[in-house]
Amino acid sequence: MSALLVRDVMAKGVVTVAPDLAYKQIVDLLVDVGVSAVPVVGEDRRVLGVVSEADLLHKVEFNGADVHAGLFERRRARLAKEKATGETAAQLMTSPAVTVPATATLTTAAQIMERENVKRLPVLDDDGELVGIVSRRDLLRRYLRTDDDIRAEILDGVLRRVLWIDPIEVDVAVTDGHVLLDGKVDRRSTAQIAVRLVRSVDGVVGVTDELEWGFDDTSLQHRHTFDA
């Protein structure tokens, strides 16, 4: 059983710009390619920053206005005014770029996007070089698996290979990504582990646990902890 990684869902044909690319050329590129942001990459394929539509719009926002930053202005307003005067990718980009390793899990990528409030992440290899880009939409690919594929991984990957449970003992039904577990296992802890592992299978939306067990070893563990 293996979870999807960022490298499994990322887009590999990444459109990038050089640090010295001019404002008008960046605008034309975004329109022509149909993207809302591009990484700014140096000659060594390392990401220097990201230029987005939001970065470019500062020039429109302050068009004809005084763009001299005040001494006591908040940092966000000051940066916006600085970008309004920018003419190249290096002057316009948001830096440092928020990136993610190609070997990160989709959960990690989603957490980074949420924390940093970004819609996409440049993907880096082990050497720190750009190898792709992953978007929020890419992260949803884990839920595009068929019910049959999900059920097969649970039976073989979770029950047989990890827990050494004969699939005959547990009935697994999958409907629109929702898993129903029914049957009987030897211990309560085994049932709990099974549910936890099934929840982590790519494509699983939810789990209904109707498993029974022959021996409640969790109460024994609690008693030993208390005695200690």
Side-chain angles (χ1 to χ4, degrees):
M1 185 182 70
S2 60
L4 287 175
L5 303 178
V6 169
R7 67 188 177 200
D8 299 319
V9 302
M10 69 182 186
K12 297 180 180 179
V14 187
V15 177
T16 64
V17 298
D20 59 352
L21 193 68
Y23 180 96
K24 178 64 166 59
Q25 292 174 299
I26 299 172
V27 173
D28 291 341
L29 179 63
L30 294 183
V31 173
D32 291 343
V33 181
V35 296
S36 59
V38 287
V40 182
V41 178
E43 294 181 358
D44 57 359
R45 292 292 296 171
R46 296 186 183 278
V47 180
L48 305 175
V50 174
V51 174
S52 68
E53 291 175 339
D55 295 319
L56 300 173
L57 283 173
H58 291 309
K59 191 175 290 293
V60 178
E61 178 185 357
F62 293 101
N63 184 31
D66 179 14
V67 292
H68 295 291
L71 181 62
F72 298 105
E73 280 187 315
R74 291 186 178 182
R75 181 175 182 274
R76 184 174 181 180
R78 187 167 60 252
L79 289 176
K81 285 188 176 182
E82 289 175 359
K83 290 184 179 182
T85 64
E87 298 182 0
T88 65
Q91 296 168 335
L92 295 160
M93 68 184 183
T94 297
S95 179
V98 181
T99 62
V100 65
T103 53
T105 64
L106 302 193
T107 298
T108 297
Q111 291 172 342
I112 295 174
M113 288 184 185
E114 176 67 21
R115 183 178 69 245
E116 301 295 337
N117 192 29
V118 295
K119 297 180 180 179
R120 65 196 58 77
L121 297 168
V123 183
L124 309 182
D125 63 13
D126 292 339
D127 296 323
E129 296 183 7
L130 180 68
V131 292
I133 195 162
V134 64
S135 67
R136 289 177 177 177
R137 180 175 298 180
D138 294 326
L139 299 184
L140 295 177
R141 290 188 188 179
R142 65 174 295 182
Y143 296 109
L144 298 180
R145 301 182 69 188
T146 67
D147 290 341
D148 288 341
D149 285 343
I150 295 171
R151 183 173 184 274
E153 180 170 346
I154 293 173
L155 292 175
D156 187 58
V158 175
L159 298 183
R160 182 180 289 114
R161 294 178 181 271
V162 177
L163 297 178
W164 290 12
I165 296 176
D166 190 332
I168 297 178
E169 300 177 6
V170 177
D171 181 47
V172 178
V174 185
T175 305
D176 294 331
H178 192 96
V179 180
L180 171 64
L181 296 177
D182 193 10
K184 188 173 183 177
V185 295
D186 56 349
R187 295 172 297 177
R188 185 176 184 178
S189 63
T190 302
Q192 293 174 337
I193 294 172
V195 172
R196 186 168 66 251
L197 290 176
V198 168
R199 289 188 191 279
S200 68
V201 170
D202 287 319
V204 172
V205 176
V207 179
T208 297
D209 174 18
E210 295 187 0
L211 291 173
E212 298 179 354
W213 55 87
F215 175 63
D216 186 359
D217 57 332
T218 61
S219 61
L220 182 63
Q221 292 172 2
H222 292 162
R223 186 165 62 251
H224 285 170
T225 300
F226 180 79
D227 292 342

